[in-house]
Amino acid sequence: QKEVEQDPGPLSVPEGAIVSLNCTYSNSAFQYFMWYRQYSRKGPELLMYTYSSGNKEDGRFTAQVDKSSKYISLFIRDSQPSDSATYLCAMKDNQGGKLIFGQGTELSVKP
Amino acid sequence: ETGVTQTPRHLVMGMTNKKSLKCEQHLGHNAMYWYKQSAKKPLELMFVYNFKEQTENNSVPSRFSPECPNSSHLFLHLHTLQPEDSALYLCASSLHGGEPKEQYFGPGTRLTVT
């Protein structure tokens, strides 16, 4: 079983739609949860960061962590064509361990 | 270019060649990382350097040889590669090793081994 599971997509939605991206994980020691966005021909850039459980909102983006279910989500409201990218979830324990990434979900927002 | 830069952006090499990838960070960070990104696979951490000292080698084959002469520069020396080594190689940096979130990535080097 992979430590982090993420549906690779591709996911195609119309402009203005609400997008839900998800990851599940198996390691209950994970405490730090991140979402990276990677545009084509670019490196990943940190989009959202959450510690432990709960929600975090930043503009059109909301990150949710449900540690009891070992499930994290990223919601994008009013999606735009400029949101078209691959979204990577990543997580880490608090013992100095390495970042563990999901395989990424490719998102396409159509005008 | 600011942040983390990588050269070359594209590289095609034969299995008997020797080449090097270069990474430079302009952020004043002390930790640098090499990752391998293959299609439809998660990023794989290869090496970690913290204050120029290698702190992690994630069971990487010896045909990949890292070098970190100072906190701003990181190299990945390549020799006798295999076609399955074709991938996007990403360099990242963070203020300190073990930093939980703030890793900044370069644009990557797209490597093709023929």
Side-chain angles (χ1 to χ4, degrees):
Chain A
Q1 182 187 8
K2 295 179 186 175
E3 276 194 284
V4 178
E5 297 271 4
Q6 184 176 9
D7 186 339
L11 179 63
S12 182
V13 301
E15 183 175 355
I18 296 175
V19 177
S20 173
L21 304 168
N22 312 292
C23 288
T24 58
Y25 62 95
S26 57
N27 188 345
S28 58
F30 287 147
Q31 295 283 352
Y32 299 92
F33 303 92
M34 287 136 271
W35 286 95
Y36 283 82
R37 177 175 62 195
Q38 185 174 19
Y39 289 116
S40 180
R41 306 182 194 284
K42 300 279 190 181
E45 58 176 329
L46 183 64
L47 193 59
M48 299 283 284
Y49 156 70
T50 308
Y51 174 72
S52 194
S53 285
N55 294 359
K56 187 170 185 177
E57 189 172 320
D58 184 2
R60 296 184 294 111
F61 298 89
T62 300
Q64 287 186 353
V65 175
D66 182 349
K67 291 189 69 181
S68 62
S69 302
K70 297 190 179 69
Y71 187 87
I72 69 171
S73 300
L74 177 71
F75 296 97
I76 307 174
R77 291 183 299 281
D78 188 25
S79 57
Q80 303 295 309
S82 58
D83 296 326
S84 297
T86 297
Y87 290 80
L88 308 165
C89 64
M91 45 201 80
K92 189 179 184 303
D93 61 30
N94 61 357
Q95 301 299 317
K98 59 189 179 186
L99 272 180
I100 305 298
F101 284 84
Q103 64 186 103
T105 299
E106 184 181 347
L107 171 68
S108 177
V109 181
K110 303 295 186 184
Chain B
E1 196 170 351
T2 58
V4 181
T5 59
Q6 290 186 244
T7 55
R9 294 293 306 276
H10 300 273
L11 178 62
V12 178
M13 60 185 288
M15 293 167 62
T16 58
N17 291 158
K18 289 184 179 181
K19 296 286 185 184
S20 295
L21 310 184
K22 179 183 175 183
C23 174
E24 184 174 359
Q25 58 93 2
H26 311 268
L27 301 169
H29 290 167
N30 298 299
M32 298 187 77
Y33 310 77
W34 280 117
Y35 285 89
K36 176 183 179 182
Q37 187 175 34
S38 303
K40 304 300 183 186
K41 287 187 177 181
L43 265 71
E44 299 172 46
L45 180 65
M46 300 175 72
F47 302 103
V48 181
Y49 278 82
N50 197 26
F51 292 94
K52 300 190 298 178
E53 297 297 321
Q54 187 180 127
T55 56
E56 182 147 359
N57 176 339
N58 203 28
S59 302
V60 180
S62 59
R63 57 185 183 269
F64 295 90
S65 175
E67 179 190 359
C68 188
N70 55 60
S71 292
S72 299
H73 293 86
L74 185 65
F75 295 89
L76 188 62
H77 304 299
L78 317 170
H79 66 96
T80 325
L81 293 192
Q82 305 299 310
E84 60 265 28
D85 297 321
S86 299
L88 181 68
Y89 288 85
L90 291 162
C91 173
S93 71
S94 67
L95 186 57
H96 301 295
E99 184 72 18
K101 57 183 177 73
E102 296 289 0
Q103 286 190 20
Y104 294 82
F105 286 84
T109 295
R110 175 68 63 186
L111 174 67
T112 303
V113 181
T114 60

